[in-house]
Amino acid sequence: MKKNNLLRSLVYISLCVSTLVSCKKNESLHNKKNTDSRPNILFIMSDDHAYQAISAYSDKLIQTPNIDRIANEGILFTNACVTNSICAPSRATILTGKHTHINGKIDNRMPFDTNQVTFPQIFQKAGYTTAMFGKLHFGNSPKGVDEFMILPGQGSYINPDFITSKGDTTITGYVTDIITDFSINWLDKTRDKDKPFMMMYLHKAPHRPWWPSPEKFKEFTKKTFPEPASLFDNNEGRGSASKTAQMNILQHMTYGLDCKIRPETIKEMGGVKPHVRAMMAKGKDGIRRDGFTRKYGRANDEQKALYDPVIDSINIWFKTYWPTMNDQEKMRWKYQRYMQDYLACVSSMDDNIGRVLDYLDESGLAKNTIVVYTSDQGFYLGEYGWFDKRFIYNESFKTPLMIRWPNEIKPGITNDEMVQNLDFAQTFLDAAKIELPTDMQGESLVPLLKGENNKWKRKAVYYHYYDFPAAHMVKRHYGIVTKQYKLAHFYYDIDEWELYDRKKDPNETKNVYHDPAYASIVSKLKKELKELRIKYKDSPELDSMYIEMTKRKEL
């Protein structure tokens, strides 16, 4: 183990030395004053960060003072949403400014169309220096970036592997800290300071499985969090798709991967109820291991010495009390374990975002830097008893979005227009005064950023989710969403429609599709949905094509 630590340390040192050498080679260039007045772009994105876990939206669960700084000094969007609530497709939409049925990345398995032009490529061609650090989630060589350091696939929280332009490496430490270290180092040392920059600072946190840093783990396991009112909701007022989804905290959240119960504890107890299938997978050595062992096995002895006391206390409690608890008590315990780890990961991320914002202030870069904070989609934090995302319902469909742009955005304002991650690429390009590609499908948010709301014409957004049958078993569906209504069509193995009155039923618990009082609304929205599908070049023929492609992938 010590030998591995030494090797990892040497790799880390070699990367730092490489950076310093590169810095020396370009010292004369970096000492030049940047005469290009176009704004810098800092795009910060997390993974599965629910807007409910940001105090700018709600302070019931956690305080996020650093993320809130962006909202307090800029604009907070309250109706921002995604086109397809799953990680890789959302990222493909952000990079291309196109719906997933156009860029090919309809789910986490289907390949991205590498012929698609991404906005970093356009920025690079327009004279910006560009970089990407953190989680991309697909592809090993991102286009349009001068420097990159990305996690392979989902990545790891503890001692993560990275793909770089110089080769693969493993770095000892906590992933959120490491991504931030390299992002600040690039801003401070290695970027071409004669050019404006566009940097993508992409966190793995707080994606499942939730492994906090040792100090946050110790702190947050002592906390108790308020339960959502709908924790025990049975989705009676919704359609059948919500009843067959496999994302219930009690029934589907694993003991090892998610709750930090050691496999030895489960074995010693003779199994536990309800039974939840352990998530087994092969490691690099080809050996199948459960989720706890596989993830925690990355920790070295020094790190385990910090984690073990907390993990041991959780396991002792579980072994003592779990057998005597009823299902309601078990649900409540698993919810608290979920929130403790999830929110601990959020807290680390907020601390690190604060480090980057502080650097911008101290270096003077903040004055001409657009700072964006968002997530690749929303997430369920126990609402309706769920975790995960995928649905068109609010907790999954809506995503946090706040933007700071000194001297352009009036500080502390909010906006409730229907905006999407589809719009990000065009917004960044427009703000940088770069010509917009004609095949992008989004709309620039710049008029909204500058308070010119009368120039915003969009009244409805389009959503399409494809990843079924697959993990969590959320059925395929597409839909149209306005400020007042949400109409969704679930298809593939069912043919069901759902309509929600977002004003009268903000929690979307009562499907009024069959209510005669809404007949005219249904007719109007179906017509508009059909028009949106035509506008965005989606169709029943494409649905059928992607179904067949998915089946072939499964075979």
Side-chain angles (χ1 to χ4, degrees):
M1 182 63 72
K2 289 184 177 180
K3 183 178 180 181
N4 288 339
N5 290 340
L6 177 60
L7 287 173
R8 287 170 178 168
S9 298
L10 288 172
V11 169
Y12 187 88
I13 292 168
S14 69
L15 281 169
C16 292
V17 169
S18 175
T19 294
L20 290 172
V21 171
S22 174
C23 180
K24 281 289 183 181
K25 286 182 179 178
N26 293 284
E27 186 173 13
S28 60
L29 179 62
H30 289 173
N31 286 334
K32 292 181 182 178
K33 184 178 180 181
N34 178 18
T35 57
D36 192 329
S37 63
R38 291 178 296 176
N40 305 307
I41 310 285
L42 172 60
F43 180 68
I44 310 172
M45 185 167 68
S46 54
D47 196 312
D48 290 346
H49 191 185
Y51 62 88
Q52 310 95 288
I54 298 175
S55 47
Y57 289 98
S58 171
D59 61 0
K60 290 181 180 179
L61 290 173
I62 191 171
Q63 293 290 333
T64 52
N66 294 298
I67 295 173
D68 290 0
R69 280 166 62 182
I70 303 169
N72 296 336
E73 296 169 6
I75 184 171
L76 178 75
F77 286 91
T78 59
N79 250 332
C81 59
V82 297
T83 65
N84 183 355
S85 186
I86 187 168
C87 298
S90 177
R91 293 159 188 270
T93 290
I94 289 169
L95 285 170
T96 62
K98 298 173 186 177
H99 278 274
T100 52
H101 62 270
I102 299 295
N103 63 50
K105 197 68 182 161
I106 60 167
D107 57 33
N108 285 341
R109 295 167 292 176
M110 295 294 286
F112 175 66
D113 178 2
T114 55
N115 292 318
Q116 296 286 332
V117 175
T118 64
F119 78 81
Q121 291 174 271
I122 301 173
F123 268 94
Q124 188 181 56
K125 187 175 180 181
Y128 272 68
T129 185
T130 58
M132 179 185 292
F133 300 103
K135 181 177 177 180
L136 173 61
H137 198 191
F138 63 91
N140 293 339
S141 183
K143 294 181 179 179
V145 289
D146 301 326
E147 187 169 340
F148 67 88
M149 184 172 180
I150 60 173
L151 298 163
Q154 294 287 4
S156 301
Y157 281 101
I158 303 171
N159 302 334
D161 300 323
F162 283 95
I163 301 166
T164 77
S165 56
K166 302 177 180 65
D168 298 352
T169 185
T170 302
I171 298 178
T172 301
Y174 188 64
V175 68
T176 307
D177 300 333
I178 295 169
I179 292 169
T180 303
D181 289 344
F182 276 86
S183 297
I184 292 175
N185 185 73
W186 184 81
L187 288 170
D188 189 49
K189 304 292 185 184
T190 66
R191 68 182 172 90
D192 185 343
K193 295 184 180 179
D194 199 39
K195 297 178 179 180
F197 68 80
M198 191 290 296
M199 185 176 81
M200 301 186 75
Y201 169 45
L202 310 174
H203 283 291
K204 171 183 172 56
H207 192 280
R208 183 191 191 195
W210 309 283
W211 271 101
S213 63
E215 64 275 11
K216 296 288 185 181
F217 192 41
K218 181 178 180 180
E219 175 189 352
F220 274 72
T221 50
K222 298 176 183 178
K223 296 177 181 285
T224 301
F225 298 94
E227 297 171 0
S230 59
L231 182 63
F232 295 98
D233 193 296
N234 61 5
N235 287 291
E236 196 59 41
R238 292 175 170 173
S240 66
S242 64
K243 298 176 182 62
T244 56
Q246 298 176 3
M247 46 204 287
N248 180 270
I249 290 174
L250 177 61
Q251 300 295 333
H252 303 114
M253 187 173 279
T254 65
Y255 298 106
L257 184 78
D258 299 315
C259 299
K260 312 300 184 291
I261 304 302
R262 299 180 187 273
E264 296 84 1
T265 299
I266 301 292
K267 184 177 181 180
E268 184 181 337
M269 293 171 68
V272 296
K273 295 181 179 179
H275 173 73
V276 182
R277 182 176 61 86
M279 296 181 70
M280 306 293 290
K282 288 183 180 180
K284 289 181 179 179
D285 56 7
I287 299 174
R288 285 174 59 82
R289 296 180 177 87
D290 69 282
F292 176 89
T293 304
R294 194 171 67 254
K295 298 300 181 182
Y296 191 49
R298 299 186 66 86
N300 59 38
D301 290 343
E302 293 83 359
Q303 292 164 333
K304 286 182 178 179
L306 299 174
Y307 278 115
D308 277 344
V310 180
I311 295 174
D312 289 344
S313 67
I314 292 170
N315 279 256
I316 291 169
W317 192 99
F318 186 83
K319 187 165 54 175
T320 303
Y321 295 104
W322 188 263
T324 64
M325 295 165 67
N326 60 39
D327 281 354
Q328 192 173 75
E329 291 169 331
K330 290 177 178 179
M331 175 69 140
R332 288 197 157 112
W333 183 85
K334 288 184 85 172
Y335 168 75
Q336 291 300 330
R337 277 276 52 246
Y338 172 28
M339 286 300 93
Q340 289 163 357
D341 290 351
Y342 179 95
L343 295 172
C345 292
V346 170
S347 182
S348 285
M349 188 171 63
D350 186 72
D351 291 346
N352 276 279
I353 288 171
R355 291 173 56 204
V356 174
L357 295 179
D358 288 346
Y359 174 79
L360 292 180
D361 290 342
E362 293 161 6
S363 65
L365 287 171
K367 297 175 184 177
N368 194 36
T369 299
I370 298 172
V371 179
V372 180
Y373 181 79
T374 192
S375 175
D376 53 358
Q377 62 262 318
F379 212 70
Y380 288 100
L381 302 184
E383 298 87 1
Y384 321 109
W386 285 345
F387 66 105
D388 208 67
K389 59 258 185 179
R390 302 167 194 265
F391 275 111
I392 196 173
Y393 308 137
N394 273 349
E395 291 81 4
S396 167
F397 167 74
K398 290 175 65 173
T399 193
L401 177 62
M402 53 200 76
I403 303 176
R404 185 180 78 180
W405 189 1
N407 302 316
E408 296 291 346
I409 298 175
K410 184 180 177 181
I413 61 174
T414 60
N415 187 284
D416 70 346
E417 295 294 342
M418 299 300 301
V419 303
Q420 280 190 302
N421 57 354
L422 183 71
D423 303 322
F424 294 172
Q426 285 186 261
T427 301
F428 305 154
L429 293 168
D430 189 15
K433 297 180 172 57
I434 299 172
E435 186 177 353
L436 304 177
T438 57
D439 61 345
M440 283 188 174
Q441 296 181 306
E443 304 288 339
S444 170
L445 303 181
V446 168
L448 298 180
L449 304 184
K450 295 186 176 184
E452 300 169 346
N453 292 10
N454 60 313
K455 293 183 179 180
W456 186 255
K457 304 303 180 186
R458 180 194 288 153
K459 301 299 180 186
V461 295
Y462 180 62
Y463 180 87
H464 199 153
Y465 174 79
Y466 301 83
D467 200 19
F468 177 88
H472 300 294
M473 297 303 284
V474 173
K475 296 184 185 296
R476 298 179 185 231
H477 58 290
Y478 59 85
I480 179 174
V481 186
T482 70
K483 289 182 182 180
Q484 172 121 20
Y485 299 107
K486 181 174 293 183
L487 178 71
H489 180 215
F490 290 85
Y491 69 99
Y492 182 72
D493 61 337
I494 61 172
D495 181 10
E496 294 183 10
W497 290 83
E498 296 182 15
L499 173 69
Y500 297 95
D501 188 326
R502 302 182 74 204
K503 300 285 182 160
K504 294 181 180 179
D505 179 24
N507 293 323
E508 302 170 343
T509 58
K510 185 179 179 182
N511 176 18
V512 295
Y513 178 79
H514 296 290
D515 187 334
Y518 287 88
S520 62
I521 298 298
V522 167
S523 179
K524 179 176 180 291
L525 288 174
K526 278 190 171 182
K527 180 176 180 294
E528 292 176 359
L529 176 57
K530 184 177 181 181
E531 291 170 352
L532 279 184
R533 278 168 68 84
I534 293 170
K535 174 182 177 180
Y536 293 123
K537 301 178 182 178
D538 202 2
S539 66
E541 291 75 22
L542 268 181
D543 297 345
S544 298
M545 181 189 79
Y546 279 126
I547 286 171
E548 289 304 313
M549 290 175 70
T550 302
K551 286 179 178 177
R552 289 199 296 272
K553 284 282 180 182
E554 289 170 351
L555 293 175

